[in-house]
Amino acid sequence: SVEDPKGQTDLKSAAAILQRWALRREPQEGAKEELIEAIKFALSRDVPEPHTLASLMWSCGRLKVDDIAPLLAPMQELLPEVAPSMNAQNLTTFWCSVAKIQELAEEVDDMIPVLLDAIEEKADELRPNQLAAFIWAAGMLDLKQSEVERIKAHFAGRLSRGDMQSLPLKDIANFAFGLAQLDFRDSVMLETIAATTTEMAEACKSKPAMQDLPMIVMSLTRLGHKERSMNKLLDAVASRLQRKRVLKKMPAWSLAVLYWAWPNDGLEGVRDMQEVLRPEVEKRIAKKEFTYRMLERSWKGPKEWRRRIDSSVKIPA
C-alpha cells in the first residue's frame, strides 16, 4: 500500500514501489497510472527527503519517458529546495538519470543548472566512482558551453593516479568517454588514464577486455593522445585482444570502434592491429551486423552509432 495511517499517499512507500517497477521494467497490471498519480499528488503536498527525490529520479531514468512524464515538472519545481541537502550519492544518481532521459524529456533541462550548483558545492565529497559517473553523464548531456567549462575546470581533472587504480575498467572507460565528449585534453589526466589502463589490460577478464579497452582507446584517440604512454597502452591492448577467439566474441560496436580508433600512422612500437581486425570487421559487415557508415560514426558511442538520420527533416535551401 502507498497510503499512510491517515489514508494519504506515503511518498517513501510509493517511491519504493516505483523503484521495484523500474527494476522489473513492468508494473503490475492496472497499477501504472494509479501509482504515478499518487506520487504526483504526494509531491504537490510534501517536500520529499533528498534520498526519496533521488530515488524517484533513478526510477525515471530506467522507465519509459511517456510513463513517468507527469512526475518531471513537480520534481523540477522541488529540486531547488531539495538539491542543497542532497549528499554526493544522491546528486550523482540524479545527474546520471537526467542524462539518460534528457533527449526525450525537455522538462529536465531546467534541472541541470540547479544540480550543477549543488554538485559543485559537494565536489570534494565525490568518491572516485561517483566522479567517473558524473563525467560520463556530463558527456552524454546537452550542456551549455559555460556549463561544460565549469565541469572541465572543477571536476574533470580531479581523479588522481591512486583514485583511478581503485576503479574497475568499466568506470575508467566511462570516465574517458565523458572526457572525450567534453573535449578535455589535459595531458596529465590522459597520461594517467593510459598508464593505469596499461597496468590493468593484461590481467583483465574477457568482458572488460572486449568492451572497456576499446572505449578507452577510442576516447584517447579522439583526444589526440600520442605520447609514449599511448604506445604502451596500444601494445597492451593488442596483446590482450589477440588471445584465442577474443576478436570473434567481441560485440559489434567494440570491434568497429577499435578498428576506427587504432592509429595507422606507424607509431613506434605499435602493432598494426587494423590488419588483425580487418578480416573480422569485413565478416561482420557481410553478416549485416553493422555497415561501413556505422563504423565511421562508431566514435559517437554504442548507443548513438546505430541512430539513423531522420530523412523527414527538410534541409533549408
Side-chain angles (χ1 to χ4, degrees):
S1 172
V2 296
E3 293 184 349
D4 62 20
K6 296 180 180 179
Q8 294 183 319
T9 300
D10 177 61
L11 190 53
K12 282 186 182 179
S13 299
I17 293 171
L18 189 69
Q19 190 175 67
R20 290 198 293 273
W21 168 15
L23 289 168
R24 303 197 287 271
R25 298 293 177 128
E26 286 296 333
Q28 294 179 353
E29 193 67 33
K32 183 190 302 183
E33 292 82 4
E34 181 182 346
L35 177 61
I36 295 297
E37 283 302 313
I39 294 173
K40 184 180 177 182
F41 175 75
L43 289 171
S44 71
R45 190 190 67 212
D46 301 317
V47 176
E49 293 182 13
H51 71 273
T52 301
L53 196 64
S55 171
L56 287 171
M57 195 56 170
W58 179 88
S59 299
C60 289
R62 292 177 59 93
L63 294 167
K64 294 177 182 177
V65 171
D66 287 348
D67 288 338
I68 54 85
L71 301 181
L72 297 178
M75 290 173 71
Q76 184 268 320
E77 291 175 8
L78 288 163
L79 189 61
E81 185 173 353
V82 179
S85 302
M86 287 184 172
N87 61 26
Q89 182 59 59
N90 296 156
L91 289 165
T92 304
T93 297
F94 211 106
W95 179 260
C96 291
S97 299
V98 167
K100 291 179 180 179
I101 66 174
Q102 183 192 27
E103 183 182 12
L104 300 173
E106 62 183 19
E107 295 92 336
V108 303
D109 287 351
D110 291 334
M111 298 180 183
I112 291 171
V114 177
L115 287 169
L116 188 52
D117 286 345
I119 296 172
E120 202 167 310
E121 288 291 320
K122 301 279 186 8
D124 291 337
E125 299 175 22
L126 290 173
R127 297 194 301 272
N129 64 316
Q130 293 167 347
L131 185 57
F134 170 79
I135 292 295
W136 167 83
M140 298 295 291
L141 284 164
D142 181 13
L143 299 171
K144 297 175 182 176
Q145 189 57 37
S146 60
E147 293 166 340
V148 171
E149 295 305 322
R150 282 175 67 186
I151 290 168
K152 289 164 74 169
H154 298 292
F155 297 94
R158 295 183 74 93
L159 277 187
S160 69
R161 181 75 175 270
D163 290 337
M164 205 168 296
Q165 289 172 328
S166 73
L167 295 173
L169 264 179
K170 181 176 177 60
D171 286 354
I172 298 174
N174 285 337
F175 179 68
F177 180 77
L179 294 184
Q181 295 290 93
L182 296 168
D183 197 33
F184 182 76
R185 295 174 181 258
D186 178 79
S187 60
V188 174
M189 181 55 69
L190 302 187
E191 286 276 336
T192 301
I193 293 170
T196 305
T197 306
T198 299
E199 293 171 358
M200 301 171 73
E202 188 63 29
C204 73
K205 294 184 178 180
S206 294
K207 186 174 180 179
M210 293 189 290
Q211 296 183 2
D212 303 327
L213 293 181
M215 183 174 280
I216 293 168
V217 170
M218 177 272 289
S219 299
L220 294 182
T221 296
R222 284 184 63 196
L223 291 169
H225 187 57
K226 294 186 177 181
E227 304 303 320
R228 182 64 183 159
S229 61
M230 185 66 169
N231 296 23
K232 292 180 179 179
L233 170 62
L234 292 169
D235 196 53
V237 171
S239 175
R240 177 63 184 88
L241 293 181
Q242 288 188 80
R243 293 185 193 169
K244 186 177 180 181
R245 295 188 59 80
V246 170
L247 296 182
K248 294 183 182 299
K249 298 176 184 176
M250 283 182 74
W253 177 80
S254 299
L255 180 70
V257 83
L258 192 65
Y259 185 80
W260 176 88
W262 203 271
N264 55 10
D265 51 2
L267 288 178
E268 181 185 351
V270 174
R271 309 178 200 191
D272 185 1
M273 194 66 176
Q274 284 193 331
E275 284 298 315
V276 176
L277 295 170
R278 186 173 292 116
E280 186 64 24
V281 167
E282 292 176 348
K283 188 184 299 182
R284 303 288 188 96
I285 289 174
K287 291 180 178 179
K288 301 188 185 311
E289 289 188 26
F290 55 88
T291 65
Y292 284 108
R293 184 174 292 182
M294 289 167 64
L295 187 151
E296 287 301 317
R297 62 174 183 259
S298 59
W299 61 270
K300 291 176 177 284
K303 179 181 176 183
E304 292 292 324
W305 80 312
R306 292 191 180 278
R307 187 185 301 275
R308 293 180 181 274
I309 296 173
D310 187 352
S311 58
S312 67
V313 176
K314 293 183 179 180
I315 300 174

